[in-house]
Amino acid sequence: MAIQRQTDPSDLWRAIIQAGGIQPYIDAQLAERGFLVARRETDGLSERELADYKKSLKAEAQERARLRREAWAAYRAEHIVHLGDGVYWNDEPGPDKWDLPNAEERAAENELPPLDSPRQLADALGLTIPQLRWLAFHREAATRIHYRRFTIPKRDGSERAIWAPMPRLKRAQHWILRNVAEKLPVHGAVHGFVAGRSILSNASAHHDPKVAVRIDLKDFFPTVTLRRVKGLFRKAGYREHVATLLALICTESPREIVQNEGATYYVALGPRCLPQGAPTSPALTNALCLRLDRRLSGLARRQGWRYTRYADDLTFSRPSDFGGPPAIGKLLGSVRRIVEAEGFAVHDGKTAIRRRGGRQAITGLVVNGDRPPRATREFKRNLRAAIHNLESGRATPEAEPPQVLVGRAAFVAMSDPALGLSLLDRLSRATERDGSGDDSRSEPPRPES
C-alpha cells in the first residue's frame, strides 16, 4: 500500500488546519490510505476472519500513532507549546485580560514593528519557531545556556561577573535593541546608552556646581526581573504572547556553575532578570526608569537641584549661583523614598557628596570652575607617562596594552580634542614602530568615575 508522507512541517500543519484539526486530519488520512477499519461485531466471525480483522485494527492503530506523531511534530514546528518551569504559556490566540486596550495603536505610536504572533516574531528574528522556543526556554538547572561568563575588576578590587550572550541570542537581542528597545520613550535626564549623549553630556549638565551628590542604585540590572521587562513590552503595545517571548529573550537567571559527577550545571539562583552583558539591558532599563526619572527630575526642580542619570548613577548638583544652603539631608531622604517606591534600592556605601573647594568629578570628568568638563590631571599625567614608556621602549609586561591606552586617549579627546588627538597620534606612531597595535579590535573599558 503506497503511503504519501508530507515532510515539510509547515505544509503538514496547513493541511491539518484545512482538515479541521488533528483528529479530522488523521481520520481522513487513514481513510484515504486504506487503513481505516469499519468496526463490526466479532461473535459471528471465523478464526481467520477474526485474525484478519485484528490485523487490520493493529495496522490502523500503528498508522494512527504514526500520523499523530507527525501531526504533533508539525504542531511543535508552528507553536511554542511550553517555555519551561514557572513560565506561563498558552498557544491559543486572542487577547489576554492584561493586554492594553488597543495595544496595536500604542505600538504604532511608538513606531514599533507589528508583532502579533510568535510566528511574526520568529520571522522578524530570522528564526524558526523551534529556534525561538530554544532561545526563550527557561530551565532551573541547565547543562547548556546561551551565555558565557567572564569577570572584570571593580574599583574596590572585587570582580564583576559579565554574562555575554552567544552569537545567535546576541543577534536576536540586537534586533530587539534596534527595532524595539531604542524606540521606547526615555526621559531627557538620561545620558547613558542614548544616541547623541555620553558621559560628557552627563557631566556638562552639572557645570560648576556648588555641591554635587552622587547616588548609586544597588544591583541595578538584577532588580529588573522578567515580570518587569514583560510589563514594559506590554505597555509598549505588545500582547501576551509576544511580550512573554521578548522578555525571555532579554533576561536570564543569575546562575552558579556547579560540577557534579563530571557534568557542568548552570543552576538558577533567582528569578530571570536583565543580564549585565546583554546589549538590550541598558536600553530596557532606560525605558523602564521613565517614571523614576520623571519623579526625580521633578523633585530636583522643586528643591533647586539639577538631575541626570547615567545607567545606575544618579547625580544631583546645586548651581553655584543658587542662594541658600543646600538641604542635602532632605534631598537624600526624598530620593530614597522615590527610588524604593519605584522598585529599586540605594547603595548607601556609594553615596558621595562633593563640595566646592575639592575636586568634583561626575562620570569621570572634573566639573569644577568655569572650564568645560575634563579628565583629571592624574589621569592625563599617567597616560602621558605610559605613552612615553611605550615610545622609549621602557613599557613593562604589567603595563596596560596599547589598545587600552588608545581607549584612554579617546576618553581625553572627548573633552579635550587637541590634547586627545595629539596623544592618539603619538600612540599610533609608537605602535606602528614596534608592531604592538595589532589587537585594535579590543574595546578598552571606560575609565571609572
Side-chain angles (χ1 to χ4, degrees), residues 363-403:
T363 46
L365 296 172
V366 177
V367 295
N368 301 65
D370 294 331
R371 297 169 57 195
R374 58 218 175 264
T376 66
R377 290 192 183 94
E378 295 88 345
F379 184 87
K380 290 183 283 190
R381 183 169 59 247
N382 292 338
L383 178 58
R384 286 192 184 99
I387 295 174
H388 177 73
N389 289 338
L390 184 65
E391 291 172 325
S392 59
R394 293 202 299 267
T396 64
E398 296 79 19
E400 291 177 321
Q403 64 268 23

Side-chain angles (χ1 to χ4, degrees), residues 3 5 38 47 55 100 148 154 163 190 213 266 273 324 375 400 411 435 437 440:
I3 299 177
R5 298 176 184 264
E47 289 186 8
K55 184 177 179 181
L100 286 179
R148 62 181 180 88
K154 293 184 180 180
W163 292 87
V190 178
V213 179
Y266 300 87
C273 58
E400 291 177 321
F411 174 75
S440 60

